[in-house]
Amino acid sequence: MYELDLPPVFEFKHRVLAAESAVARCDRTALPVDLLHTAWADRLIDAGFNPAQPTAWGVEGLLVYLTEEEAAGLLTTVGELSAPVSRLVLERGRSGQTVLDDPSVAHITSLWKGALGSRTADWLGDHGWHTRIHPLDAVADHYGRPTANPSGTGFITAVRGTSQALS
């Protein structure tokens, strides 16, 4: 498993994991990188990542903090590193225009730039991915968890370059 994040985020994670004596149950390579600069792809390959092999990408809690151009650039690089049948899962977030009416999270929502917003699945489809949208309320219901989903959030799963059914 390759984990990519900013250096200060890793410093925090490593402190917390060490305090809990947490140990990875797989081979884990932490790469401190800035995903806004395409050099991260070279660092990933230099660390042993093989773009000719199918992979699974998890992009969690990131895109909404990027502009549309930044998100498209990041996802373009992910696509270039993804062999056919590679998988991608990411949040189906709000657009930059959606604002939560909750002052307790304003310090977070004020950082949102919107990314591709509700057009993310279409963008992926136009760039070689076959997508499926999973509304948050349907996912919660599947796991027996209550939720209201007035904002249309949820998840997107995608498979690279294949018409294989998504499950």
Side-chain angles (χ1 to χ4, degrees), residues 2 13 22 24 31 54 56 64 66 69 71 78 83 88 103 105 114-115 118 123 125 137 149-150 154 159 167:
Y2 297 92
K13 284 181 182 180
L31 289 175
V64 74
L66 306 180
E69 180 179 278
V78 166
L88 170 67
V105 294
S118 60
W123 188 95
D137 52 353
N149 191 21
V159 175
S167 55

Side-chain angles (χ1 to χ4, degrees), residues 59-137:
V59 180
E60 179 188 6
L62 172 63
L63 294 185
V64 74
Y65 294 99
L66 306 180
T67 65
E68 184 173 339
E69 180 179 278
E70 291 166 340
L74 174 65
L75 292 174
T76 295
T77 303
V78 166
E80 291 168 350
L81 293 170
S82 297
V85 304
S86 290
R87 293 182 176 263
L88 170 67
V89 63
L90 58 144
E91 294 161 330
R92 179 181 182 218
R94 298 169 176 87
S95 71
Q97 290 73 40
T98 303
V99 177
L100 294 179
D101 188 21
D102 183 349
S104 69
V105 294
H107 65 288
I108 296 170
T109 59
S110 66
L111 301 173
W112 289 355
K113 297 179 183 175
L116 298 164
S118 60
R119 298 179 318 281
T120 304
D122 291 335
W123 188 95
L124 289 167
D126 291 342
H127 291 85
W129 296 89
H130 299 276
T131 63
R132 184 170 173 203
I133 295 173
H134 309 271
L136 183 60
D137 52 353

